[in-house]
Amino acid sequence: MSAVLVAVVLSLVSTVAYAAAAVAQERLASRSPGSGTLRMLGSGAWWWSVGLNAGAALLHVVALKYGPLTVVQPLGALTLVAAVPMGARLAGRRVSAVEWRGTALTLLGLAAILVTASGPAPDDVLSVPEALAVAGATAALIGALSRPGARPGLRHASASGVASGVASALTQTVTVAATDRSGPLLSVQVVGVALLVAAFAAGGLLLSQTAYRGGLGGPLAMVTLANPLAAAVIGLALLGERLQGGPTGVLLALAGAGLASWGVVLLSRTAPAAVPADDDHPVAAVLALEPGSAAAEPALVPRPHDPGHLTAATR
């Protein structure tokens, strides 16, 4: 088996794991819309979704060892393709035509952006002052996106994608600095930037959990779009990267951003009402680990011949 094929296989498995984690987070958020962070941290099912995310990230890193970034990174967008039908299957419904159209537009737009931004790996890394400046600007942007207001799902998803994208960009600095034999392994640069990576990665995960309370498709599409865009901004502004194709590449990137934005809008308009989960589904099995989950609680439904009377029915 060739190295590139190994990278593709690992990337596809990583994509499925990311999608399963997103679906599990969305189901947990819809079942406990008012639960706080502390209660969520005490949830066994939530930690299973965190484990799925961590496993997916590890597979992604290993895939990058065997294949080039220009092959591995675009495959990450397939998370949206896997998560939308997976979420629909878990909810006991079919994927609507609008959802397929929104998914296709988002992926086409993201592909156009990735094509123009896919160049050789940069030789430069962020200095400590640059990393701190990026962290400060990102924290301010996340704070602005997280404020109360309209469309909190998409805004929290944007904040999550930005946090994850910045964490990815900072990870490169940690990796290069840690493997550079010109300095100590645990230098101030390595330790300090590694702490920033951990903070933004955890923040991105918590923000995505909040975003999924309003549905899966739109927020996940926004996370998928904002992540590489945030990393690309850092690369273009601070790491000397350039868009491929000159003016034509810029126009292609802008067209891709427009397509992807329209896809996100379509997906955000098709958030279906939650329905009982199928216990045979693997993600449902993860959710069943949580005591007192909605799958085990009785629901109040009207009797067929007595609409005014409520009785308990097992889901």
Side-chain angles (χ1 to χ4, degrees):
M1 184 179 293
S2 68
V4 174
L5 183 57
V6 171
V8 170
V9 171
L10 290 174
S11 297
L12 292 177
V13 177
S14 172
T15 293
V16 173
Y18 271 129
V23 173
Q25 285 183 277
E26 187 270 337
R27 300 295 289 177
L28 285 168
S30 64
R31 290 177 173 182
S32 304
S35 60
T37 301
L38 292 179
R39 182 176 177 183
M40 183 175 59
L41 292 176
S43 165
W46 186 79
W47 282 108
W48 273 98
S49 70
V50 172
L52 284 171
N53 266 309
L58 179 61
L59 288 170
H60 182 76
V61 171
V62 176
L64 288 173
K65 175 179 176 60
Y66 290 98
L69 182 64
T70 52
V71 172
V72 175
Q73 195 66 24
L75 290 174
L78 295 178
T79 298
L80 184 62
V81 178
V84 170
M86 190 182 294
R89 169 70 179 87
L90 184 58
R93 64 177 182 83
R94 293 183 177 180
V95 181
S96 67
V98 176
E99 286 178 300
W100 281 125
R101 188 159 61 249
T103 300
L105 288 173
T106 303
L107 291 176
L108 284 174
L110 186 58
I113 294 171
L114 290 174
V115 165
T116 59
S118 296
D123 298 326
D124 198 9
V125 295
L126 297 176
S127 64
V128 173
E130 287 175 336
L132 291 176
V134 168
T138 303
L141 178 59
I142 290 174
L145 291 172
S146 302
R147 73 187 188 282
R151 291 193 177 276
L154 291 182
R155 287 190 291 102
H156 281 88
S158 300
S160 174
V162 169
S164 300
V166 170
S168 298
L170 293 176
T171 298
Q172 182 203 25
T173 294
V174 174
T175 303
V176 173
T179 55
D180 184 3
R181 298 184 179 180
S182 62
L185 178 62
L186 296 179
S187 64
V188 174
Q189 183 183 26
V190 172
V191 175
V193 178
L195 291 175
L196 291 176
V197 170
F200 282 117
L205 183 62
L206 294 175
L207 285 166
S208 66
Q209 178 70 52
T210 305
Y212 293 147
R213 293 176 182 174
L216 177 65
L220 180 58
M222 183 61 77
V223 170
T224 306
L225 179 62
N227 187 319
L229 284 179
V233 168
I234 294 175
L236 292 171
L238 299 175
L239 297 178
E241 295 185 12
R242 296 289 181 269
L243 291 177
Q244 306 300 303
T248 303
V250 173
L251 292 176
L252 180 61
L254 291 175
L259 280 176
S261 299
W262 180 238
V264 170
V265 170
L266 289 179
L267 286 169
S268 67
R269 292 176 178 174
T270 58
V275 297
D278 182 359
D279 291 337
D280 293 331
H281 195 281
V283 178
V286 172
L287 297 180
L289 295 172
E290 177 65 11
S293 65
E297 296 175 356
L300 295 179
V301 297
R303 289 176 178 170
H305 302 295
D306 187 4
H309 186 76
L310 296 178
T311 184
T314 301
R315 295 184 179 179

